Amino acid sequence: MNISLIRRLWALLAAYVFGFYASLLNRFSASGVENIPSHGGVLIASNHISGFETICLPWILLRAFPLQMIWAPAKEELFRNPFLSALFRSWGAFPVRRGRDLKAGKQLGQLLETEKVMLFPEGTRHKDGNLGKGNRGVGKLIYDNRPVVIPTALTGLNHWKFVALGQKAHVSFGAPLDFTDLFALDDCKETHIAIVERLMAAIAVQLAANMGAESL
């Protein structure tokens, strides 16, 4: 993707402005960033617990990989506010219609050839922090495009209030998942389900580890 340097610099500046609130005025921390490849198609697949994720995850990723865009499909309602629309677009977010959006699916496939993409496999937010079921379409996306898949677990953000201070939250990035055996299977519903179930199981393991660490 040909993205202007000005847009990349704006994205980085916006990320650091929010990062001041997230990580200094609050206590948003990260681990496992070293598991994310610096180049190539990468899918950051995370659980979905809060609207804060839309800006917290890009902050961590842009801090680790300056001047790289972090692409993300987001529901079109988020783009109705001009200020928020400009902010989200600067970080690589793009609107997606509810239901089956073929144009967005094609765009995701193209991005996953060379770019970092942030995605929530559950498809809907779970404010209680419990992990929902993964969307079969994510399994199809992985099968078709074969990106490096990083299972990602977020905890704490579902309890955040704006503009409270001193709030805790954490994101952990797991090791890349191996789907070699599943990629050898037929391109069918059952294979796509098996792929997304493996992904969700890996996210669940990380969530359990995060919550265990918080209780210590």
Side-chain angles (χ1 to χ4, degrees), residues 191-205:
T191 301
H192 307 155
I193 291 174
I195 289 173
V196 78
E197 286 181 346
R198 182 173 297 179
L199 168 59
M200 301 310 291
I203 295 174
V205 169

PDB file of all heavy atoms in Angstrom, residues 191-205:
ATOM      1  N   THR A 191     -12.810 -26.824   7.622  1.00  0.00           N
ATOM      2  CA  THR A 191     -11.423 -26.362   7.767  1.00  0.00           C
ATOM      3  C   THR A 191     -11.377 -24.961   8.346  1.00  0.00           C
ATOM      4  O   THR A 191     -10.574 -24.663   9.241  1.00  0.00           O
ATOM      5  CB  THR A 191     -10.712 -26.390   6.406  1.00  0.00           C
ATOM      6  OG1 THR A 191     -10.722 -27.721   5.882  1.00  0.00           O
ATOM      7  CG2 THR A 191      -9.267 -25.921   6.542  1.00  0.00           C
ATOM      8  N   HIS A 192     -12.236 -24.084   7.866  1.00  0.00           N
ATOM      9  CA  HIS A 192     -12.260 -22.701   8.354  1.00  0.00           C
ATOM     10  C   HIS A 192     -12.620 -22.659   9.835  1.00  0.00           C
ATOM     11  O   HIS A 192     -12.037 -21.889  10.608  1.00  0.00           O
ATOM     12  CB  HIS A 192     -13.271 -21.872   7.551  1.00  0.00           C
ATOM     13  CG  HIS A 192     -13.066 -21.940   6.077  1.00  0.00           C
ATOM     14  ND1 HIS A 192     -14.072 -21.720   5.163  1.00  0.00           N
ATOM     15  CD2 HIS A 192     -11.955 -22.236   5.342  1.00  0.00           C
ATOM     16  CE1 HIS A 192     -13.615 -21.868   3.945  1.00  0.00           C
ATOM     17  NE2 HIS A 192     -12.328 -22.182   4.021  1.00  0.00           N
ATOM     18  N   ILE A 193     -13.567 -23.505  10.242  1.00  0.00           N
ATOM     19  CA  ILE A 193     -13.952 -23.575  11.653  1.00  0.00           C
ATOM     20  C   ILE A 193     -12.784 -24.078  12.498  1.00  0.00           C
ATOM     21  O   ILE A 193     -12.513 -23.546  13.586  1.00  0.00           O
ATOM     22  CB  ILE A 193     -15.182 -24.492  11.828  1.00  0.00           C
ATOM     23  CG1 ILE A 193     -16.419 -23.833  11.210  1.00  0.00           C
ATOM     24  CG2 ILE A 193     -15.423 -24.793  13.307  1.00  0.00           C
ATOM     25  CD1 ILE A 193     -17.650 -24.724  11.196  1.00  0.00           C
ATOM     26  N   ALA A 194     -12.082 -25.099  12.022  1.00  0.00           N
ATOM     27  CA  ALA A 194     -10.940 -25.643  12.766  1.00  0.00           C
ATOM     28  C   ALA A 194      -9.851 -24.587  12.954  1.00  0.00           C
ATOM     29  O   ALA A 194      -9.224 -24.505  14.006  1.00  0.00           O
ATOM     30  CB  ALA A 194     -10.378 -26.860  12.033  1.00  0.00           C
ATOM     31  N   ILE A 195      -9.638 -23.759  11.923  1.00  0.00           N
ATOM     32  CA  ILE A 195      -8.622 -22.707  12.005  1.00  0.00           C
ATOM     33  C   ILE A 195      -8.995 -21.678  13.064  1.00  0.00           C
ATOM     34  O   ILE A 195      -8.183 -21.320  13.931  1.00  0.00           O
ATOM     35  CB  ILE A 195      -8.427 -22.028  10.634  1.00  0.00           C
ATOM     36  CG1 ILE A 195      -7.730 -22.987   9.670  1.00  0.00           C
ATOM     37  CG2 ILE A 195      -7.623 -20.734  10.777  1.00  0.00           C
ATOM     38  CD1 ILE A 195      -7.651 -22.477   8.243  1.00  0.00           C
ATOM     39  N   VAL A 196     -10.228 -21.186  13.011  1.00  0.00           N
ATOM     40  CA  VAL A 196     -10.616 -20.138  13.960  1.00  0.00           C
ATOM     41  C   VAL A 196     -10.726 -20.707  15.378  1.00  0.00           C
ATOM     42  O   VAL A 196     -10.429 -20.003  16.363  1.00  0.00           O
ATOM     43  CB  VAL A 196     -11.917 -19.437  13.515  1.00  0.00           C
ATOM     44  CG1 VAL A 196     -13.157 -20.276  13.834  1.00  0.00           C
ATOM     45  CG2 VAL A 196     -12.027 -18.066  14.170  1.00  0.00           C
ATOM     46  N   GLU A 197     -11.086 -21.975  15.524  1.00  0.00           N
ATOM     47  CA  GLU A 197     -11.133 -22.579  16.858  1.00  0.00           C
ATOM     48  C   GLU A 197      -9.730 -22.688  17.462  1.00  0.00           C
ATOM     49  O   GLU A 197      -9.546 -22.492  18.667  1.00  0.00           O
ATOM     50  CB  GLU A 197     -11.802 -23.950  16.793  1.00  0.00           C
ATOM     51  CG  GLU A 197     -13.313 -23.865  16.614  1.00  0.00           C
ATOM     52  CD  GLU A 197     -13.973 -25.225  16.578  1.00  0.00           C
ATOM     53  OE1 GLU A 197     -13.249 -26.242  16.422  1.00  0.00           O
ATOM     54  OE2 GLU A 197     -15.210 -25.291  16.701  1.00  0.00           O
ATOM     55  N   ARG A 198      -8.737 -23.010  16.644  1.00  0.00           N
ATOM     56  CA  ARG A 198      -7.352 -23.051  17.141  1.00  0.00           C
ATOM     57  C   ARG A 198      -6.910 -21.664  17.583  1.00  0.00           C
ATOM     58  O   ARG A 198      -6.229 -21.513  18.609  1.00  0.00           O
ATOM     59  CB  ARG A 198      -6.419 -23.596  16.062  1.00  0.00           C
ATOM     60  CG  ARG A 198      -4.968 -23.709  16.519  1.00  0.00           C
ATOM     61  CD  ARG A 198      -4.091 -24.410  15.502  1.00  0.00           C
ATOM     62  NE  ARG A 198      -4.523 -25.797  15.298  1.00  0.00           N
ATOM     63  CZ  ARG A 198      -3.935 -26.635  14.449  1.00  0.00           C
ATOM     64  NH1 ARG A 198      -2.877 -26.243  13.730  1.00  0.00           N
ATOM     65  NH2 ARG A 198      -4.376 -27.876  14.317  1.00  0.00           N
ATOM     66  N   LEU A 199      -7.290 -20.665  16.804  1.00  0.00           N
ATOM     67  CA  LEU A 199      -6.952 -19.287  17.152  1.00  0.00           C
ATOM     68  C   LEU A 199      -7.601 -18.883  18.476  1.00  0.00           C
ATOM     69  O   LEU A 199      -6.935 -18.335  19.361  1.00  0.00           O
ATOM     70  CB  LEU A 199      -7.407 -18.352  16.030  1.00  0.00           C
ATOM     71  CG  LEU A 199      -7.390 -16.850  16.334  1.00  0.00           C
ATOM     72  CD1 LEU A 199      -5.989 -16.391  16.703  1.00  0.00           C
ATOM     73  CD2 LEU A 199      -7.912 -16.069  15.129  1.00  0.00           C
ATOM     74  N   MET A 200      -8.884 -19.165  18.629  1.00  0.00           N
ATOM     75  CA  MET A 200      -9.591 -18.761  19.849  1.00  0.00           C
ATOM     76  C   MET A 200      -9.050 -19.507  21.071  1.00  0.00           C
ATOM     77  O   MET A 200      -8.984 -18.943  22.169  1.00  0.00           O
ATOM     78  CB  MET A 200     -11.089 -18.997  19.696  1.00  0.00           C
ATOM     79  CG  MET A 200     -11.740 -18.247  18.527  1.00  0.00           C
ATOM     80  SD  MET A 200     -11.338 -16.481  18.456  1.00  0.00           S
ATOM     81  CE  MET A 200     -12.201 -15.881  19.901  1.00  0.00           C
ATOM     82  N   ALA A 201      -8.645 -20.759  20.882  1.00  0.00           N
ATOM     83  CA  ALA A 201      -8.066 -21.523  21.988  1.00  0.00           C
ATOM     84  C   ALA A 201      -6.755 -20.877  22.453  1.00  0.00           C
ATOM     85  O   ALA A 201      -6.473 -20.817  23.661  1.00  0.00           O
ATOM     86  CB  ALA A 201      -7.820 -22.964  21.564  1.00  0.00           C
ATOM     87  N   ALA A 202      -5.961 -20.389  21.504  1.00  0.00           N
ATOM     88  CA  ALA A 202      -4.698 -19.738  21.855  1.00  0.00           C
ATOM     89  C   ALA A 202      -4.954 -18.422  22.588  1.00  0.00           C
ATOM     90  O   ALA A 202      -4.242 -18.086  23.551  1.00  0.00           O
ATOM     91  CB  ALA A 202      -3.881 -19.488  20.584  1.00  0.00           C
ATOM     92  N   ILE A 203      -5.964 -17.669  22.157  1.00  0.00           N
ATOM     93  CA  ILE A 203      -6.318 -16.427  22.854  1.00  0.00           C
ATOM     94  C   ILE A 203      -6.789 -16.738  24.269  1.00  0.00           C
ATOM     95  O   ILE A 203      -6.446 -16.040  25.229  1.00  0.00           O
ATOM     96  CB  ILE A 203      -7.399 -15.653  22.073  1.00  0.00           C
ATOM     97  CG1 ILE A 203      -6.845 -15.176  20.722  1.00  0.00           C
ATOM     98  CG2 ILE A 203      -7.897 -14.450  22.886  1.00  0.00           C
ATOM     99  CD1 ILE A 203      -7.888 -14.518  19.821  1.00  0.00           C
ATOM    100  N   ALA A 204      -7.568 -17.814  24.422  1.00  0.00           N
ATOM    101  CA  ALA A 204      -8.077 -18.204  25.739  1.00  0.00           C
ATOM    102  C   ALA A 204      -6.938 -18.531  26.705  1.00  0.00           C
ATOM    103  O   ALA A 204      -6.992 -18.168  27.890  1.00  0.00           O
ATOM    104  CB  ALA A 204      -9.013 -19.399  25.606  1.00  0.00           C
ATOM    105  N   VAL A 205      -5.912 -19.217  26.217  1.00  0.00           N
ATOM    106  CA  VAL A 205      -4.756 -19.549  27.056  1.00  0.00           C
ATOM    107  C   VAL A 205      -4.071 -18.277  27.544  1.00  0.00           C
ATOM    108  O   VAL A 205      -3.695 -18.161  28.720  1.00  0.00           O
ATOM    109  CB  VAL A 205      -3.767 -20.447  26.275  1.00  0.00           C
ATOM    110  CG1 VAL A 205      -2.444 -20.565  27.023  1.00  0.00           C
ATOM    111  CG2 VAL A 205      -4.373 -21.821  26.046  1.00  0.00           C
TER     112      VAL A 205
END
